[in-house]
Amino acid sequence: MNGGDDGESVASSAGPQPPLDWKFSQVFGERTAGEEVQEVDIISAIEFDKTGDHLATGDRGGRVVLFERTDMKEHGRNRRDLERTDYPGSRHPEFRYKTEFQSHEPEFDYLKSLEIEEKINKIRWCQTANSALFLLSTNDKTIKYWKVQEKKVKKISEMNVDPSKVAGNGSVANASVSPSPNHNLANGGFVDQSDNCLSKDASFPAPAISSLRLPVVVTSNETSLVARCRRVYAHAHDYHINSISTNSDGETFISADDLRINLWNLEISNQSFNIVDVKPTNMEDLTEVITSAEFHPTHCNTLAYSSSKGSIRLIDLRQSALCDLHSKIFEEQEAPGSRSFFTEIIASISDIKFARDGRHILSRDYMTLKLWDVNMDSGPVATFQVHEYLRPKLCDLYENDSIFDKFECCLSGNGQRLATGSYSNLFRVFGCDAGSTEATTLEASKNPMRRQVQTPSRTSRGLSSITRAVRRGSESPGVDANGNSFDFTTKLLHLAWHPTENSIACAAANSLYMYYA
């Protein structure tokens, strides 16, 4: 598994990497003790751009907030400098609030008598141009294409006339005109009464040109950020949009709902192509739905989508216009006798991510993270237990609907580590090098390690190296990974890994926490 664009091997010749020492970096929107969180302020999407210099968040109120990196600007460093180690804290990224805008508003579909929430489901960055930022944001039904650009604010700093030296108000409109007594104002002008032509005696006093106030010097020292909606892609989905993903060609993107995946051109908003349709002729025959979809990071003809049955399908757009037939399918076979009422529910994949090199796919179901090799469809190459201590509580989780929570996952830029969230505002970082036992539990707070306990690693299942599934991070039932009773009301669903550094941004309700290692 190659990590990033530099071609370095993830599986280092020196063996597995030691666990990272995570530290708190900064927080935006931190709550005070006892503060009640407004529903509209809860963060529902997080995304770094490809450079890692910008971060976008979306919330349930339909707003998109942008942050930009400042530590490189303030210290006059470039990206190459950051690779050196002679800067104390050089790997400590610092961000500042940049701007925010209202992306979506609540709507009502009168044909279906359906309220459409303004909540932002996904944000995806597009290619930049002329120092402007471009991104896609979507709610349940409508995708919007935004351009965020700095505009210079022009101010008039000098006029040609000092108003205090001009008699009256200096307006030419007030210049007096005295018509000849032989003429009147019929038809709005000085008209001769005898021959209906303009009078030669009509005299217009020369206007005082010096009294015209005109700007002479215009300055533009200040700048303001302006977010403008370039395109609106609407009326293409009958069901709620769960994913959008931009293509490496820079021209197209996909949007997915429960039953269909559509392909769009960024420049064309009134037409899309349906490339996947899993809707059966009779809806009573429906057995699975699409849960997530993503383009391959470098191959513009390849994309993957996951289902509620725990499978991932790889499709090739070159094979046919309608890609109902997959080129590969990745799914783990059930162990005999292990099926229960909750088996199918917890097998549903809530999120998939391609590794940066495109060789591996990370998937998150309710209980585990699975790492798949696109060249091996016999099973996952590794399985990571996220919160195995919840297995005895599945009945309670089903009754309070927590079992349907959709946790996201992410990979580091070099592909050596992966992360996902859990309950009690916890998130877990795993090492995926061969032989790695790294399984770190962190809390979304200013002291992420304050309740940290060492979690022992599980052994492999004794399968061949092709289908090995390493299970790590066992916990004692009844308590969370930190030895505390679990809290289902606080959940860390959304997080993102910086594309080039060991830095994670995660959302706990309305607060955005950032950590570095």
Side-chain angles (χ1 to χ4, degrees), residues 172-180 190 201-209:
V172 180
N174 290 329
S176 59
V177 178
S178 302
S180 167
F190 300 106
D201 298 331
S203 59
F204 293 88
I209 300 299

Side-chain angles (χ1 to χ4, degrees), residues 398-462:
Y398 178 78
E399 289 178 357
N400 62 21
D401 284 343
S402 294
I403 201 169
F404 301 106
D405 288 334
K406 300 187 182 304
F407 292 93
E408 294 179 1
C409 58
C410 59
L411 294 99
S412 61
N414 60 12
Q416 291 181 344
R417 292 174 177 86
L418 36 92
T420 190
S422 181
Y423 294 101
S424 303
N425 280 346
L426 300 178
F427 64 101
R428 308 206 66 192
V429 179
F430 299 93
C432 52
D433 279 346
S436 173
T437 59
E438 180 177 355
T440 307
T441 304
L442 303 160
E443 182 189 37
S445 69
K446 287 189 175 181
N447 186 3
M449 311 287 284
R450 67 176 177 173
R451 298 184 301 178
Q452 182 63 30
V453 295
Q454 183 62 37
T455 52
S457 62
R458 294 240 185 205
T459 57
S460 65
R461 292 192 293 177

Side-chain angles (χ1 to χ4, degrees), residues 449-511:
M449 311 287 284
R450 67 176 177 173
R451 298 184 301 178
Q452 182 63 30
V453 295
Q454 183 62 37
T455 52
S457 62
R458 294 240 185 205
T459 57
S460 65
R461 292 192 293 177
L463 300 177
S464 65
S465 59
I466 294 179
T467 59
R468 67 182 174 84
V470 182
R471 298 182 176 270
R472 306 183 187 120
S474 67
E475 296 87 0
S476 56
V479 294
D480 63 23
N482 288 330
N484 300 278
S485 58
F486 23 73
D487 180 5
F488 299 141
T489 61
T490 56
K491 56 194 78 171
L492 200 150
L493 301 175
H494 312 286
L495 76 174
W497 201 302
H498 191 284
T500 59
E501 300 171 21
N502 286 324
S503 175
I504 292 178
C506 56
N510 66 325
S511 302

Side-chain angles (χ1 to χ4, degrees), residues 224-406:
S224 67
L225 279 165
V226 178
R228 188 164 64 92
C229 185
R230 293 281 306 276
R231 306 264 189 288
V232 177
Y233 313 91
H235 312 301
H237 288 277
D238 292 329
Y239 304 94
H240 290 177
I241 298 171
N242 56 50
S243 301
I244 51 175
S245 179
T246 53
N247 199 349
S248 57
D249 63 9
E251 297 179 357
T252 56
F253 71 95
I254 54 170
S255 59
D257 63 25
D258 289 343
L259 299 178
R260 294 189 176 98
I261 299 177
N262 293 334
L263 178 68
W264 301 82
N265 188 300
L266 281 168
E267 300 300 320
I268 303 172
S269 60
N270 60 356
Q271 184 182 40
S272 65
F273 297 94
N274 178 226
I275 56 175
V276 174
D277 188 350
V278 300
K279 184 178 181 179
T281 306
N282 184 358
M283 283 296 283
E284 292 182 0
D285 298 331
L286 183 67
T287 59
E288 63 181 330
V289 296
I290 298 168
T291 57
S292 182
E294 182 161 300
F295 261 118
H296 190 282
T298 55
H299 298 165
C300 61
N301 58 283
T302 304
L303 62 94
Y305 70 91
S306 60
S307 80
S308 58
K309 275 195 168 182
S311 60
I312 301 171
R313 290 173 173 85
L314 204 66
I315 61 175
D316 191 334
L317 296 174
R318 299 171 298 184
Q319 289 182 340
S320 65
L322 189 60
C323 305
D324 287 344
L325 298 177
H326 52 268
S327 56
K328 278 189 178 181
I329 184 169
F330 306 92
E331 55 187 355
E332 188 174 27
Q333 300 301 320
E334 278 183 31
S338 64
R339 188 168 184 82
S340 71
F341 174 78
F342 304 109
T343 299
E344 195 164 310
I345 300 175
I346 64 175
S348 176
I349 294 175
S350 57
D351 191 26
I352 59 170
K353 291 285 193 306
F354 270 101
R356 198 174 175 189
D357 62 354
R359 172 70 185 275
H360 290 77
I361 300 174
L362 180 66
S363 67
R364 170 72 203 264
D365 56 44
Y366 188 71
M367 299 296 291
T368 65
L369 278 171
K370 291 185 175 72
L371 190 66
W372 308 80
D373 188 326
V374 296
N375 294 333
M376 300 190 306
D377 53 7
S378 55
V381 295
T383 299
F384 306 88
Q385 300 290 355
V386 179
H387 41 216
E388 186 64 19
Y389 54 85
L390 291 180
R391 196 170 290 276
K393 297 288 184 181
L394 289 178
C395 190
D396 296 337
L397 292 161
Y398 178 78
E399 289 178 357
N400 62 21
D401 284 343
S402 294
I403 201 169
F404 301 106
D405 288 334
K406 300 187 182 304

Side-chain angles (χ1 to χ4, degrees), residues 149-155 219-224 226:
Q149 191 175 28
E150 285 189 348
K151 295 282 188 181
K152 290 186 176 180
V153 179
K154 294 183 178 180
K155 290 186 176 180
T219 58
S220 55
N221 297 327
E222 298 179 12
T223 59
S224 67
V226 178

